[in-house]
Amino acid sequence: MTGSVTLRCGFRGVQNSGSGRSAPTDLARQVEGPAAPPQVCFEPDSDQCCARHQGLLYRFQSCNQGCFELRLLIAVFASLFWFGASSPVEAHSPYFGQSERIEHPKFGVVTLAVLFGDGIFFADPSQVVAFDSEGYLLAATPQSEALLIHCDGSVSPAYCRIYDELRGVILEPEYKQWAWGRKIEEEGRPPRDAYPEYMDIQYGFSERTATLYEKFTFELAGVRNSPLGSALSVLWWVLAWSLLARPAWRWKRNDWQLRALTVSSVISGFLGVLAFIGMSFLAAYGWLLSPYSFYLFLLAFVLGALIAAILTRPKAVVQRD
């Protein structure tokens, strides 16, 4: 844990025989650094005093950051091992996700629901199915791993759109193509054999490219539906980017010269790069388990980098009282 410490270097009232005046006793410099006992240095050459103690503080700070990055690196690779060892591989029954209910003049009460199958190691494949009040299939979209449903019931028949986050397309009902098919819902659940990846059924929907406005509204709806997940995604990349931002700021402070870097700074930067790579692998594995749109990923990735750059930007190390 790092904190703020004041290191004062100044003159101790050295007598000047030529002018009969003494150097000011209240001249001091403050140096911010990691938590350590405050030190006061009174020497005629205040610049040498501060330079020496700043070097000590920089070495202490580099060691402190290197230890932090080493601990984080161990935690990241331990998480990778834990995820790999505890990944669920048992099969499960199909299940419903988001659903919308509408009124149709011909089919009566119709439910549109996201039907999930079993992806075993990766994300569960899914498709949107439409079925009547008795659970009989009326239409089904192509398969995807990230689908959102939005219906406007103020018009008749209701205007519904399904957004495929991964492909950026809109799927719209073609009611003229709807027809009764197999049983797809029983007592609020899909039958045990209703896996989308095995049924291979798709009809009753047309496909088109989503407009920019539709992409924006659906992406915003996705954030609203999962505010905690969106915030954690940004926080994850803030932490990951801070591992690269810290050594980058130190390198910039040395005018981008490698020779000026200490061994501890190089080791700390190397550990930070390894931890960043490990966190990127964890993020990729999380995306494979629960895919989301490229736009949300790009937002979290860039926003995390900007916040990390601001939070890790070093403060001025020299101030005058």
Side-chain angles (χ1 to χ4, degrees):
M1 180 68 66
T2 59
S4 178
V5 63
T6 300
L7 173 63
R8 295 182 177 274
C9 303
F11 294 105
R12 177 186 276 177
V14 179
Q15 184 70 29
N16 188 323
S17 58
S19 62
R21 294 175 299 176
S22 61
T25 58
D26 59 346
L27 179 61
R29 293 187 179 182
Q30 294 181 352
V31 180
E32 293 187 355
Q39 304 179 43
V40 181
C41 174
F42 293 100
E43 295 181 5
D45 193 342
S46 180
D47 289 338
Q48 293 181 2
C49 166
C50 283
R52 182 168 64 253
H53 285 290
Q54 282 184 37
L56 291 174
L57 287 174
Y58 289 156
R59 286 195 292 272
F60 185 79
Q61 187 178 24
S62 297
C63 176
N64 224 15
Q65 291 172 349
C67 293
F68 165 75
E69 286 152 356
L70 178 60
R71 290 194 296 268
L72 184 59
L73 180 64
I74 294 173
V76 167
F77 281 96
S79 300
L80 282 171
F81 175 79
W82 182 82
F83 274 115
S86 61
S87 297
V89 295
E90 295 182 359
H92 59 75
S93 300
Y95 60 96
F96 288 126
Q98 180 196 3
S99 64
E100 295 278 350
R101 185 167 293 182
I102 61 173
E103 289 279 350
H104 191 274
K106 178 180 179 181
F107 302 104
V109 177
V110 175
T111 301
L112 283 85
V114 182
L115 174 64
F116 289 94
D118 184 8
I120 305 179
F121 293 104
F122 303 110
D124 293 335
S126 64
Q127 65 180 153
V128 173
V129 292
F131 52 89
D132 63 11
S133 58
E134 296 182 1
Y136 286 97
L137 182 67
L138 298 172
T141 67
Q143 293 183 39
S144 180
E145 281 77 26
L147 295 169
L148 292 174
I149 307 172
H150 176 73
C151 291
D152 180 7
S154 62
V155 296
S156 182
Y159 177 55
C160 293
R161 292 173 297 170
I162 294 94
Y163 178 60
D164 188 330
E165 295 184 57
L166 301 184
R167 296 191 297 147
V169 300
I170 293 290
L171 302 165
E172 295 176 313
E174 290 289 344
Y175 293 114
K176 294 181 179 180
Q177 299 177 10
W178 283 25
W180 281 280
R182 59 159 290 168
K183 193 84 168 179
I184 202 68
E185 183 266 341
E186 296 175 345
E187 299 180 353
R189 303 180 63 179
R192 295 182 62 87
D193 64 338
Y195 291 97
E197 61 269 32
Y198 299 136
M199 290 193 303
D200 193 23
I201 299 175
Q202 59 180 62
Y203 68 95
F205 286 89
S206 61
E207 179 180 309
R208 63 175 175 83
T209 302
T211 64
L212 290 177
Y213 177 75
E214 287 174 326
K215 289 180 180 179
F216 175 78
T217 54
F218 273 102
E219 298 291 352
L220 188 61
V223 173
R224 286 200 305 265
N225 292 338
S226 181
L228 181 59
S230 301
L232 288 177
S233 296
V234 175
L235 182 61
W236 179 268
W237 287 113
V238 169
L239 181 59
W241 275 113
S242 66
L243 297 170
L244 299 184
R246 289 175 183 272
W249 283 120
R250 289 199 296 268
W251 191 16
K252 182 178 182 297
R253 185 183 61 203
N254 291 319
D255 296 327
W256 307 106
Q257 296 181 6
L258 293 176
R259 293 181 179 179
L261 295 177
T262 62
V263 175
S264 59
S265 296
V266 174
I267 295 175
S268 175
F270 178 70
L271 293 177
V273 171
L274 286 181
F276 178 85
I277 294 173
M279 294 185 71
S280 300
F281 273 113
L282 282 175
Y285 184 68
W287 186 89
L288 290 174
L289 291 178
S290 181
Y292 52 92
S293 77
F294 171 77
Y295 301 103
L296 287 182
F297 165 78
L298 190 62
L299 175 64
F301 189 76
V302 174
L303 189 59
L306 293 175
I307 295 175
I310 294 173
L311 294 179
T312 58
R313 182 182 179 88
K315 298 179 182 178
V317 296
V318 178
Q319 301 175 354
R320 291 191 180 276
D321 290 335

